[in-house]
Every structure is written in structure tokens, then in C-alpha cells.
Amino acid sequence: MPFLGPIQLRTPRELQETNVIDERFKYLVSACADERVNVRHPGYGSSHDLLFSLHTPDHASAGVHYGLVLDACAIIADNRRDGWLSIDREGNNRVEGDLDHVLLNGDYWYNVPGDVTCFQDWQFPSSLPPLWQRVPKPRRPANTTAPSTFSAAILARDLFCRISAHYTGTEVAHICPREESEWFFANGMSRWNNDTSLGEQSLLDDHANLILMRSDIHKAFDDGKFILYPKDATGFFSHIMEPSLDLGILYHNARTHPIANCRPEFLYARFAWSLFRFISGFLAMPADRAVITVKSGSEQTRVLEMRKSLDIRERVASSRSRSPRKRKQRALDAEALDEEGNYKRRRCNVDTERTVSVTAPLLETDAGTHQQSQVSAEHELPAAVDENERIQQLRDEHLRAQRPPDFIPFSGSPFAGTTDAKTVLERLGFEIVDDDRGNG
């Protein structure tokens, strides 16, 4: 059988160990990113069957915790735990072994019909997998905290980063992302909250869904670079999902410091959320897929259907845009939209210090993609241009259209030989508007 023996784990990291490298994990410094566990779909040809691929940091010979691989397969297959891995497409040569042993890198086929396209289509299971049930469940605390003091309460509860043991630069992280509130409500996840009386806007801020992390580790967590997985019955361990020179050597397979009151159900949801981005390559291939999707209506219905490759790519792209860090930026960007949903360019009025908005219209098609409105043929934008670059080009187009026909762009530094703000702005191409509104 393709196993590398029992998994090697380590105790929680302590501050005095920051520069001490466990001899058993020195291999992570030079771990090869090309040696992966590739999980394939037996229902497709060899060029289109790679379902997902996992980094192999659990052994010097490149492998992954076997139980973690099976849990990942079950999630992608819509919680079908009756499937099995095999080393052949036909499913005859099954892989069987201890769930806490390390599966060797290589190609494996997961034998079970139906796949889920994205996290939003995934339904939380009626029960957790066996490995997740062996971890002691936290008791519900007797006292609850007002929503306005959640951060202070988690800081007082955890004291320091639960991964690195650092006290400085910590912040509160959501286990099930706040940006997935719609999925959270649809799956009734609040049933595992410590305080079931919280208002709708605060349900994801429950203590059971919060953990204290150092800010850079929090960002890596939100970027899906590591998860927390129960690799033995003592608790949860950091598992690195991508090659990393620092996170891996410091924290991979290190048990977290006690995470009081954090529910394993939320950690399992985070595992699934981090996993779905790995199947985007499978879904983006030019082949129709049999996938399970959620049909919205008076009641949500789960349907197994054949979906066209283009439809799937659009759905996956929409799902990937829901990253917590990206959504925070989108919230900031939303402030730059006018009432009609158009992007605004702000022009400075030197005399009155007021601002005037100039719109650069964007039309949203039925497919959810953006296209430019009336622009000249000579400046037609390529279809494959990145969205941010497209927006910038539209802004430039609109700015050029406002300039006088004899306008000549200023060459050199706009600050050369002057400190006058109006002159500098004109050199940069801004139109200065004298706005006398409000002066009688």
C-alpha cells in the first residue's frame, strides 16, 4: 500500500522556540512543490480528470495525512463518505490504511458519482466525519458578551495568537468567513453558536466562530494557505495547504494552543471553504461536468445536472471573488460608485474645495461580467483584459474625451518649477472647474 507510516506531530509552538527548528521538520525547507497527491475523477479522460491536487508536507518523502485526503474527497463529492481511493481508474485496486498514516504522493482516483461546483453549493453534512468527532467538543459558556465587545472578549479569552503564541499584533479572525453569511444562514450554522439569541447581523460574531491570531497569520488563514485539522484526538493542528518557506517550517503539524469554545463544525466549514478553490482547474477545463448545484426558489433544491464548461467557469469565478480580503477591498471600492452604479472620477475645484463627479459607465451583462459602454473603435478593449485594468482604461478614455482637441500632455515632472496646485493638476490632465454654486 502507498503509505509512509504514522504522521509526525508536534506540540504547540512557544515564543522561545521561534528560531528553533524541529529536526523532524527540516525537510520542509526544501520540500518539492511538484510532488503532490493528485485526486482524479474516474468518469473523465486522462487529460480532463484531475479533480484537485494537494501539497504534500506531511513527510520528507512527500505525502499527506490519509484522513485529510478522504475528507477532502467527501466534501467535493457532496459529503459522499461511501467513496474510496484507488490507484487505478477502474477502482479495483483500493487504497486502504490507517487514517492517521501518511499517503504517498502520486495519482489516485476517487470513486463516487457527482461533484459540487463551489462552496455556496455545498451543504453542511448532518454529522462530522469520524476523525472530527474524536476531538472533545467545547462546553457552551454560561456567560455571553454584547456584540460591541466581541473583540475585547476574544482577546481576554485567548490572550495570545493560538498558532504562534505571540501577544503583539494580534486580531480576531472569523473561522467561518463573515462574507459567507448567506451560506451560513442557509445551512443553519447558528445552531452551534454559544449565544443563540444574537441578532442576524451578529450571528457570525459568536465566540464559537472566533479565534485570536497574529495579523499576518490571520491573512494567511483568510488566503487559504493553511487550515486547522484534527490529526489526533488531542486537538487541532495547523496544516499547510501551499508550499511555504516560513509557515511550514514554523507551524506545520503543530497543535494549536487550546481554542476554548471554538466549535469543530465551524472549523470543518473553514476546511471546506479553503478546499473548493483547488477544483477550479477541473471545472475550468473545456468539458461538460456532472455537478450538483443549488437551485434557488421558495425552497432551495439540490440538483445533479450536466453543466456547460462556460457556465461552470462563471460560477467558480463568482465564488472565488468572495475571499474575505477581496470583499473588504470591494466594500471600499463601492464608495467610488455613484447612485447609478457608475465609477466616479473626482475632479478638484481649487476655488471652492468642492468635488465634481464624472462618470465612466460600466454595463453589467446577464452573465455577470462587465463590458464597456460607448467607446471608439480605435480604443476597443481586449476581451481578456483584467477587470481592474479595464476599469482604468475606461477612466482614461473618459478623461481623454473631456480634454480640449489641442491638449498636449505635459512631459516631465508636473511639479517642476511650480508649487501652484492648479498648475500641477492641469499638467496631470485634470480639468479645473470653477463652481459658483452656493455663492448666491
Side-chain angles (χ1 to χ4, degrees):
M1 280 296 171
F3 289 98
L4 298 169
I7 194 163
Q8 297 290 322
L9 303 174
R10 44 183 166 175
T11 58
R13 297 290 288 174
E14 302 294 344
L15 284 179
Q16 60 268 27
E17 299 175 343
T18 301
N19 297 319
V20 177
I21 299 178
D22 189 321
E23 291 291 332
R24 298 174 300 162
F25 293 90
K26 280 190 174 181
Y27 67 86
L28 288 169
V29 174
S30 57
C32 180
D34 295 332
E35 295 176 331
R36 307 179 72 87
V37 165
N38 300 314
V39 179
R40 299 184 178 275
H41 196 304
Y44 298 92
S46 58
S47 60
H48 295 144
D49 66 347
L50 181 58
L51 191 56
F52 62 90
S53 183
L54 294 176
H55 181 42
T56 52
D58 282 336
H59 197 279
S61 297
V64 186
H65 185 273
Y66 180 44
L68 187 152
V69 176
L70 285 181
D71 282 348
C73 291
I75 287 172
I76 299 301
D78 198 34
N79 304 316
R80 291 287 300 273
R81 298 177 195 154
D82 54 340
W84 68 92
L85 286 176
S86 65
I87 58 176
D88 64 318
R89 183 181 300 277
E90 293 72 26
N92 298 324
N93 298 308
R94 293 195 179 196
V95 175
E96 296 179 342
D98 191 313
L99 294 178
D100 285 323
H101 281 208
V102 179
L103 183 68
L104 179 66
N105 69 88
D107 293 320
Y108 301 91
W109 283 261
Y110 190 62
N111 298 268
V112 68
D115 305 305
V116 186
T117 62
C118 60
F119 182 73
Q120 288 72 40
D121 285 332
W122 179 65
Q123 186 175 43
F124 195 85
S126 58
S127 62
L128 291 175
L131 294 186
W132 291 74
Q133 295 184 27
R134 63 184 176 179
V135 179
K137 292 185 178 179
R139 296 180 179 180
R140 293 183 186 270
N143 299 323
T144 56
T145 307
S148 60
T149 60
F150 279 151
S151 295
I154 299 305
L155 181 60
R157 183 193 74 182
D158 291 349
L159 296 178
F160 50 82
C161 172
R162 298 287 92 185
I163 308 298
S164 69
H166 282 81
Y167 288 83
T168 304
T170 57
E171 56 192 30
V172 176
H174 286 80
I175 299 172
C176 183
R178 286 192 106 262
E179 289 68 24
E180 298 296 347
S181 59
E182 183 177 341
W183 178 89
F184 188 94
F185 299 146
N187 284 270
M189 298 298 290
S190 61
R191 68 189 122 157
W192 288 293
N193 280 9
N194 289 336
D195 185 357
T196 56
S197 66
L198 292 173
E200 180 178 334
Q201 299 301 317
S202 302
L203 285 175
L204 279 91
D205 295 328
D206 187 87
H207 291 193
N209 191 42
L210 302 176
I211 183 173
L212 198 66
M213 290 185 179
R214 203 175 67 207
S215 59
D216 60 318
I217 293 178
H218 180 194
K219 183 181 186 306
F221 190 55
D222 278 351
D223 288 343
K225 295 187 181 301
F226 75 96
I227 59 168
L228 301 179
Y229 191 89
K231 293 189 175 181
D232 71 14
T234 64
F236 288 89
F237 295 77
S238 300
H239 179 86
I240 305 303
M241 299 292 281
E242 297 179 359
S244 170
L245 294 178
D246 49 3
L247 284 177
I249 196 67
L250 290 173
Y251 307 118
H252 180 69
N253 277 355
R255 191 170 70 246
T256 69
H257 291 272
I259 43 180
N261 302 323
C262 291
R263 295 289 302 192
E265 290 81 3
F266 294 141
L267 290 164
Y268 188 68
R270 167 63 78 152
F271 171 40
W273 179 87
S274 301
L275 179 67
F276 273 101
R277 63 197 178 96
F278 290 108
I279 67 169
S280 59
F282 172 74
L283 296 173
M285 291 181 187
D288 295 346
R289 304 295 191 188
V291 296
I292 296 170
T293 57
V294 172
K295 298 292 186 182
S296 298
S298 57
E299 293 185 0
Q300 288 191 333
T301 304
R302 302 176 64 72
V303 179
L304 175 62
E305 59 181 348
M306 289 297 296
R307 294 290 294 269
K308 297 293 183 183
S309 175
L310 180 60
D311 295 338
I312 292 175
R313 288 200 296 269
E314 289 172 350
R315 189 168 184 84
V316 172
S318 173
S319 174
R320 292 181 67 182
S321 70
R322 301 173 68 89
S323 164
R325 299 285 165 170
K326 291 180 180 178
R327 288 292 296 274
K328 289 175 184 177
Q329 184 59 47
R330 286 177 181 268
L332 294 175
D333 291 344
E335 298 177 2
L337 297 176
D338 64 15
E339 294 179 356
E340 297 178 356
N342 297 322
Y343 283 87
K344 299 185 293 187
R345 175 171 290 280
R346 303 185 70 84
R347 296 187 303 180
C348 179
N349 184 314
V350 176
D351 295 332
T352 63
E353 297 184 351
R354 294 196 181 106
T355 57
V356 182
S357 296
V358 178
T359 59
L362 288 175
L363 302 180
E364 183 158 336
T365 66
D366 293 338
T369 58
H370 290 90
Q371 64 182 20
Q372 68 184 76
S373 63
Q374 307 299 323
V375 295
S376 61
E378 63 185 85
H379 296 295
E380 186 174 353
L381 300 179
V385 175
D386 179 80
E387 181 176 324
N388 290 332
E389 184 177 345
R390 185 184 306 133
I391 291 170
Q392 185 59 48
Q393 290 187 26
L394 285 169
R395 288 171 172 167
D396 293 342
E397 283 286 341
H398 203 83
L399 182 59
R400 280 194 292 270
Q402 297 176 72
R403 292 171 176 165
D406 58 347
F407 175 79
I408 301 175
F410 183 81
S411 60
S413 171
F415 300 96
T418 183
T419 58
D420 179 60
K422 182 176 180 180
T423 301
V424 171
L425 290 172
E426 287 178 334
R427 289 176 175 179
L428 290 172
F430 286 88
E431 179 185 356
I432 307 301
V433 177
D434 294 327
D435 190 348
D436 297 328
R437 291 177 298 175
N439 295 332

